[in-house]
Amino acid sequence: MKVGFIGLGNMGAPMAANLAAAGHAVTGFDLAAPCPEGVTAAATAAEAASGAEVVITMLPNGEILRRVAAEIHPAMQPGAVHLDCSTVDVDSARAVAEAAASAGLRAVDAPVSGGVGGAAAGTLTFMAGGAEDAFATVAPLFEVMGQKAVHCGGPGAGQAAKICNNMILGITMIGTCEAFALADKLGLDRQKMFDVVSTSSGYSWSMNAYCPAPGVGPTSPADNGYKPGFAAELMLKDLRLAQQAAEAADADTPLGLAAARLYETFVEQEDGKGMDFSAMLPRFEKRGRG
Ligand code: NAD
């Protein structure tokens, strides 16, 4: 397939490289990052999009996505699919889908789970929103870049699934970290705590697969000095998107709000910037109730 790829950062570069390695003709553009091996460099986003059957965007946020969409839609061929894999607000995803439709194009929002490791290994999970026929067109690309793609519904449904998932993740990570800090103060051995909780009703992905305590459970960023992994800033971004959506939809999300506030303090006023999101555990360790 002829593919345009815009946004060749930490995630986009390995995704584009995997598509090229699988035999797709990939033309890429990024304002700053170089093109990975196998990807032909274009001089502008519009040039990368021109003549492509599918144009993938992997960009930092909704504002940039809207700007890039306005640049590429006029250059895309009729019926082509704009596949946005960035994590953005639901409103931007829906606005871009509408803009695509009025330009005679199709759109799919398909944010990913799996991080940089999943992007490199081609094992991402895609959660997609958009029309059935557009999803079917891009499905072969999902197969190269990921291990699973769930068609969640119409435009914006992929972003909705992503922020709901990550709101749960933020909340369970905080809960797991504060429970470890409490267990420490109660004199409970961390390995024993893991052995019990990981096989009891307190288990979660945060405890079982990404344990925030170093030396306990499977290898995780905690075993690497809390180097990300999934950075606390990115968790904050996703929790803010969840709050933005909750406000717009009038949904009561008190724990999501508390998680957003805690990550905000951690990243903006404490030492969370540049740390993995599981570094909430050393944060709690240092503190008392006061
Ligand atoms: P990144 O900052 O490494 O990459 C973004 C790229 O977009 C950069 O290379 C930047 O130069 C480029 N860019 C910005 N504006 C541009 C423009 N106008 N035209 C062309 N290129 C432009 O970010 P990333 O880690 O690759 O994340 C990309 C998206 O994926 C984000 O929405 C993020 O939330 C999401 N995501 C990231 C992870 C992760 O673990 N990194 C996991 C899941 C989802």
Side-chain angles (χ1 to χ4, degrees):
M1 214 182 273
K2 207 164 169 238
V3 178
F5 207 117
I6 296 151
L8 300 164
N10 292 325
M11 296 291 291
M15 290 163 71
N18 283 339
L19 289 174
H24 294 288
V26 186
T27 304
F29 175 74
D30 191 292
L31 281 182
C35 266
E37 203 184 311
V39 175
T40 307
T44 62
E47 187 185 310
S50 142
E53 296 156 81
V54 176
V55 180
I56 302 176
T57 46
M58 194 55 173
L59 296 163
N61 59 48
E63 197 189 317
I64 294 174
L65 169 66
R66 287 179 194 234
R67 226 182 305 136
V68 169
E71 262 176 75
I72 61 175
H73 287 180
M76 286 170 67
Q77 65 184 23
V81 180
H82 177 183
L83 170 58
D84 178 53
C85 296
S86 328
T87 302
V88 303
D89 56 289
V90 175
D91 284 349
S92 290
R94 291 191 175 143
V96 164
E98 272 175 36
S102 48
L105 306 166
R106 298 176 294 158
V108 175
D109 55 286
V112 303
S113 176
V116 177
T123 56
L124 294 168
T125 295
F126 291 86
M127 35 217 115
E132 193 65 56
D133 64 295
F135 180 80
T137 300
V138 299
L141 304 181
F142 289 149
E143 270 166 36
V144 173
M145 298 185 287
Q147 61 181 354
K148 191 173 171 68
V150 180
H151 189 193
C152 300
Q159 298 295 350
K162 166 83 184 178
I163 57 173
C164 289
N165 179 74
N166 280 24
M167 187 172 84
I168 296 172
L169 175 61
I171 292 168
T172 59
M173 181 54 81
I174 290 169
T176 303
C177 291
E178 65 184 36
F180 262 118
L182 171 61
D184 287 347
K185 293 199 173 172
L186 297 175
L188 181 60
D189 178 76
R190 285 183 165 182
Q191 183 63 50
K192 301 292 178 203
M193 164 87 171
F194 177 84
D195 291 346
V196 171
V197 176
S198 65
T199 53
S200 301
S201 46
Y203 85 88
S204 68
W205 187 86
S206 296
M207 173 62 86
N208 292 38
Y210 205 95
C211 183
V216 177
T219 304
S220 71
D223 300 303
N224 189 23
Y226 295 99
K227 199 168 156 269
F230 184 50
E233 298 96 286
L234 287 177
M235 175 48 82
L236 174 58
K237 172 191 168 180
D238 293 354
L239 289 168
R240 281 177 168 158
L241 290 176
Q243 284 311 298
Q244 195 180 330
E247 236 165 72
D250 190 27
D252 188 24
T253 54
L255 287 183
L257 177 60
R261 287 190 174 145
L262 198 48
Y263 273 103
E264 187 171 279
T265 305
F266 186 44
V267 168
E268 294 181 354
Q269 291 166 36
E270 300 170 350
D271 54 2
K273 197 153 200 260
M275 302 286 273
D276 188 73
F277 83 119
S278 62
M280 274 287 163
L281 176 52
R283 178 195 184 272
F284 285 125
E285 274 169 12
K286 287 184 221 137
R287 303 166 70 90
R289 278 182 85 76

